[in-house]
Amino acid sequence: MLRFILKRLLITIPTILVVITITWGLIRLAPGNFYSGEKPIPKAIENNIREKYGLNKPWYVQYGKMMGHVLVLDFGTSLKYEGQSVNGIIRRSLPVSAAIGLSAYLLALLVGITLGSLAALKQNSKLDYASMALAMVGISVPNFVLGPILVLIFSLTLYWFPPARWYGFPSRGMVLPVLTLSGIYMAYIARLTRAGMLEVLRSDYIRTARSKGLSERQVVMRHALRGGLMPVVSFTGPALAFLLTGTVVVERLFTLPGLGNYFIQASLNRDEPLIIGIVSFIAITLLLMNLVVDIAYAYLDPRIRY
Amino acid sequence: MPLSKMNNNGNLLEVTDLRTYFDTEDGIVKAVDGISFQLKRGETLGIVGESGSGKSVTNLSIIRLVPTPPGKIVSGKVIFDGQNLLTLSNEAVRHIRGRRIAMIFQDPMTSLNPFMKVSRQLMEMTRLHLGHTKQQAYEHAIKMLETVGIPDARARANNYPHEFSGGMRQRVMIAMALSCEPELLIADEPTTALDVTIQAQILELIKRLKQATGTSVILITHDLGIVAGMTDHLLVMYAGKIFEQAPTKELFATPGNPYTKGLLRSVPDPTAEQGELYQIPGLPPDVAHLPPGCPFAARCDRVQEICHREFPPFVQLTADHCSLCHFAHEVYEESRAEGARSSESNL
């Protein structure tokens, strides 16, 4: 097991380097740069800027410098937010994204697993149809539609929650972003849970459990849930990584100072160090979460050994 | 002995006119359609039939494990030790399941929970029904695993099902089923998924444990070779009905039903120098759309016009030998004549 984890961690390193190289290349290929605005700037000033940031050097020198930053996990200074280190920006914005993301994640798990299990246990009942219809809506409605609708109802009509901005954790301001963010995950988890549970509930070992005289509750909690939730486990790892590292749309929608929002700004600004920093961070988190899922699988299913 | 155990003429189980139907898109499937039988304490009853004849559903109905919906026990009585299981509360039935009636299923590969250590799966039984503490249950589990012949049981108890071979898993299932000393053990094709050599071991084990504990057994199988040496009585099922019912020896010697005769002829006989093995022509009928007459008529080699028109009577041939056939007496007499001839030729 330990060998497996070490091996996986080692594989992670080249993967991240490839991701960063591609990102760096894409930034270079995109037209424009961080200092150009609507008005063209004089050639002399441009040369000074290029000199200052080392943009006049050959590409491999620039690439090497960037990689040097990545390898020590210190991504340098932002080009746009002058004087602010990239690490500082990530450190400041991550808690916002994580607070929203983790809350949305837990909510999605709680509601998704509950609804999915109930739907499976009462297959073809009204409850089953209602929750699966709801899940279908949740999957079909994109969050940039769901968000404004929620704002329209709960902020602008009912005045229950603020429509935007960050008010700290915990706060009423989190409610709408969390709901918007968790919607699709909730729906997806509900469907995965239902499908997984239905399959397990029909399996031979559940019939054995019933023939032992266990109550329906014991059959479900002790015997069915574990197998039924395996598909959910493999989905939730990457989902958690995405949620923690900020979701561009929701943070933009509710103007939250999270990682996702900075990521968009950095891309628009061609803020290379900030983009590289955030991409590296997201890539590392995603790969680690996948590793966590694999370890969890081995822990949950004794038949899987690495 | 408590009073309830004295009555019913020593019958542990009396099934009367049991009907279990499945509501499918194809129509109502009468998986079990009006069957009745009795089982005495300490006896072994064999239920034989082709796939889909209703043998498994019969036994799932007895302990009310038919998946509902689509299945439904439409009518009938299942009197177990004086109580009708079909009218008991769910709660009361749960106290009987596992404790007094235990089951072993066909496929030991999938019938144990793959996520749970074997010891826990066994402990669950005695903690639930006998009120064992964790420690007692653990010791009992190991004792049971030793009883069914699992070598090094103490170490193996902490393994997961996938770490056992098929035969060993079926032993674990048996250990689990017998851990509360049930009065009735229902074994649903317990050896079908196993190698032939392992089959014999498992059957021997069931036989030995049955003799040691006095448990009654219902053995479901499609293999006549298995029931011959194991059972006291036999039921032959076809299309949800009992086609023939008799003591095992009598049924083998003098079958009173063309279907039973067909089944017996399709067992390979190593002593006979026959060319091709006999097989009953055709396939079992679609139980959702049964014709009005005898369900076996289309495959029967002595079919008459009446067989297609009228449902056959359940004819009583001797005190405990019945057959569902318009020509039960004729078939029975034929079998007796054949039996007499073959014993003459053997002399």
Side-chain angles (χ1 to χ4, degrees):
Chain A
M1 190 60 156
L2 196 68
R3 255 184 66 128
F4 165 77
I5 295 172
L6 285 176
K7 219 166 84 187
R8 280 289 298 270
L9 284 175
L10 280 177
I11 296 171
T12 306
I13 294 169
T15 313
I16 288 171
L17 292 185
V18 169
V19 168
I20 290 166
T21 305
I22 292 173
T23 311
W24 183 81
L26 286 174
I27 301 170
R28 291 300 161 121
L29 286 174
N33 43 49
F34 72 95
Y35 50 80
S36 60
E38 282 173 20
K39 237 174 19 179
I41 49 172
K43 198 74 191 159
I45 297 177
E46 189 184 341
N47 284 340
N48 281 344
I49 294 175
R50 292 179 69 87
E51 172 82 38
K52 183 184 171 191
Y53 291 103
L55 296 176
N56 51 355
K57 305 232 171 62
W59 67 267
Y60 48 84
V61 176
Q62 295 184 37
Y63 177 76
K65 193 180 144 207
M66 184 271 304
M67 270 302 172
H69 277 306
V70 171
L71 289 179
V72 294
L73 292 177
D74 175 5
F75 300 99
T77 325
S78 161
L79 300 179
K80 196 74 181 182
Y81 307 99
E82 248 175 292
Q84 294 193 31
S85 74
V86 170
N87 290 26
I89 293 177
I90 293 178
R91 214 173 299 131
R92 210 174 53 232
S93 57
L94 179 63
V96 176
S97 294
I100 299 283
L102 208 60
S103 310
Y105 181 71
L106 294 178
L107 183 70
L109 279 181
L110 194 76
V111 177
I113 291 178
T114 310
L115 272 186
S117 312
L118 286 178
L121 290 174
K122 308 255 176 252
Q123 197 194 354
N124 298 330
S125 67
K126 277 181 189 147
L127 179 80
D128 181 20
Y129 290 136
S131 48
M132 282 309 111
L134 202 67
M136 207 59 223
V137 172
I139 288 174
S140 316
V141 176
N143 48 11
F144 57 82
V145 175
L146 179 63
I149 291 176
L150 290 177
V151 168
L152 194 67
I153 298 173
F154 294 105
S155 306
L156 305 182
T157 310
L158 295 170
Y159 299 104
W160 286 0
F161 307 107
R165 289 196 53 219
W166 177 244
Y167 300 89
F169 172 84
S171 66
R172 290 157 63 88
M174 283 177 60
V175 174
L176 293 186
V178 166
L179 277 179
T180 308
L181 192 52
S182 65
I184 188 163
Y185 291 95
M186 215 183 265
Y188 210 80
I189 290 171
R191 289 183 67 91
L192 280 177
T193 307
R194 177 177 181 270
M197 286 297 278
L198 277 182
E199 194 179 321
V200 168
L201 284 173
R202 272 196 285 263
S203 67
D204 286 350
Y205 70 84
I206 295 302
R207 187 181 54 188
T208 306
R210 292 212 172 99
S211 80
K212 286 160 96 172
L214 296 169
S215 70
E216 200 53 29
R217 191 190 152 79
Q218 288 167 319
V219 169
V220 172
M221 300 302 274
R222 255 191 241 169
H223 289 270
L225 215 49
R226 193 153 171 183
L229 289 186
M230 293 304 273
V232 179
V233 172
S234 52
F235 169 72
T236 51
L240 181 59
F242 283 121
L243 287 171
L244 283 184
T245 52
T247 51
V248 172
V249 176
V250 170
E251 289 181 7
R252 197 79 179 147
L253 217 53
F254 292 92
T255 54
L256 303 171
L259 264 182
N261 214 349
Y262 274 102
F263 190 37
I264 287 281
Q265 280 306 328
S267 310
L268 293 174
N269 295 337
R270 304 277 188 283
D271 194 341
E272 191 187 294
L274 189 52
I275 296 176
I276 297 288
I278 294 179
V279 167
S280 314
F281 183 76
I282 293 177
I284 292 171
T285 316
L286 190 57
L287 290 167
L288 283 182
M289 282 306 158
N290 276 328
L291 179 61
V292 168
V293 167
D294 286 343
I295 295 170
Y297 246 84
Y299 174 74
L300 288 173
D301 190 341
R303 287 169 297 185
I304 297 174
R305 282 289 168 263
Y306 300 113
Chain B
M1 202 180 254
L3 188 67
S4 67
K5 303 201 174 187
M6 297 293 290
N7 53 22
N8 305 320
N9 320 317
N11 283 340
L12 177 66
L13 184 73
E14 284 179 13
V15 174
T16 315
D17 195 36
L18 180 69
R19 288 169 202 269
T20 306
Y21 296 173
F22 285 81
D23 202 356
T24 69
E25 285 173 12
D26 207 25
I28 290 176
V29 171
K30 298 178 176 177
V32 173
D33 198 16
I35 73 166
S36 307
F37 63 87
Q38 293 91 36
L39 176 66
K40 286 192 168 51
R41 283 184 182 276
E43 257 189 5
T44 301
L45 173 76
I47 302 184
V48 199
E50 287 168 274
S51 318
S53 59
K55 15 186 230 310
S56 291
V57 176
T58 301
N59 288 282
L60 289 175
S61 302
I62 290 174
I63 53 170
R64 296 217 331 233
L65 279 180
V66 174
T68 315
K72 193 171 190 306
I73 299 173
V74 183
S75 71
K77 277 190 213 157
V78 175
I79 311 287
F80 174 74
D81 195 17
Q83 282 177 300
N84 186 356
L85 298 186
L86 299 187
T87 55
L88 283 184
S89 68
N90 286 333
E91 174 78 19
V93 173
R94 277 208 308 277
H95 288 302
I96 291 175
R97 277 185 210 146
R99 172 73 186 88
R100 303 183 64 189
I101 304 180
M103 278 193 94
I104 307 170
F105 297 102
Q106 176 173 351
D107 192 350
M109 296 306 197
T110 57
S111 294
L112 289 166
N113 187 336
F115 302 110
M116 243 189 228
K117 281 179 184 166
V118 157
S119 57
R120 259 195 79 198
Q121 302 194 43
L122 264 86
M123 286 161 68
E124 209 174 32
M125 286 287 263
T126 54
R127 293 190 72 182
L128 181 72
H129 294 300
L130 305 182
H132 276 181
T133 64
K134 227 171 176 173
Q135 194 55 40
Q136 284 173 318
Y138 188 73
E139 290 305 322
H140 188 76
I142 287 167
K143 200 187 90 197
M144 288 310 298
L145 290 175
E146 279 167 355
T147 310
V148 297
I150 289 184
D152 202 8
R154 192 164 289 273
R156 298 288 271 154
N158 292 318
N159 287 11
Y160 288 95
H162 72 276
E163 294 166 291
F164 290 84
S165 66
M168 283 295 155
R169 272 189 236 188
Q170 197 60 296
R171 284 172 195 264
V172 172
M173 276 300 285
I174 293 171
M176 191 159 83
L178 295 180
S179 57
C180 294
E181 295 188 0
E183 290 146 75
L184 173 60
L185 175 70
I186 300 176
D188 189 350
E189 308 228 12
T191 59
T192 307
L194 302 175
D195 286 346
V196 183
T197 45
I198 310 294
Q199 279 188 11
Q201 292 176 12
I202 295 292
L203 289 173
E204 204 44 52
L205 175 68
I206 294 177
K207 210 167 163 180
R208 180 166 63 77
L209 293 176
K210 179 195 124 71
Q211 275 159 6
T213 58
T215 304
S216 307
V217 177
I218 296 180
L219 183 68
I220 306 171
T221 180
H222 59 251
D223 188 343
L224 279 168
I226 287 176
V227 288
M230 287 281 294
T231 60
D232 303 308
H233 275 81
L234 269 185
L235 297 183
V236 178
M237 282 191 73
Y238 187 78
K241 305 243 174 6
I242 293 180
F243 260 51
E244 189 162 9
Q245 188 169 11
T248 305
K249 273 184 194 142
E250 180 163 342
L251 189 123
F252 271 84
T254 51
N257 192 290
Y259 177 58
T260 315
K261 288 190 90 162
L263 280 183
L264 289 170
R265 277 178 69 193
S266 28
V267 176
D269 180 0
T271 59
E273 282 180 34
Q274 55 186 8
E276 211 169 306
L277 184 63
Y278 176 77
Q279 72 179 51
I280 302 173
L283 291 170
D286 177 1
V287 274
H289 306 288
L290 283 179
C294 173
F296 186 61
R299 306 171 71 188
C300 188
D301 55 5
R302 56 176 307 143
V303 60
Q304 302 286 322
E305 193 257 335
I306 186 174
C307 301
H308 289 294
R309 203 177 59 232
E310 272 175 47
F311 193 82
F314 201 47
V315 180
Q316 182 133 23
L317 297 166
T318 65
D320 47 8
H321 189 168
C322 299
S323 166
L324 188 80
C325 182
H326 288 292
F327 304 100
H329 285 293
E330 287 90 329
V331 177
Y332 182 65
E333 288 310 323
E334 259 171 45
S335 298
R336 285 180 54 143
E338 279 168 26
R341 260 203 310 280
S342 71
S343 54
E344 270 167 31
S345 67
N346 282 346
L347 286 175

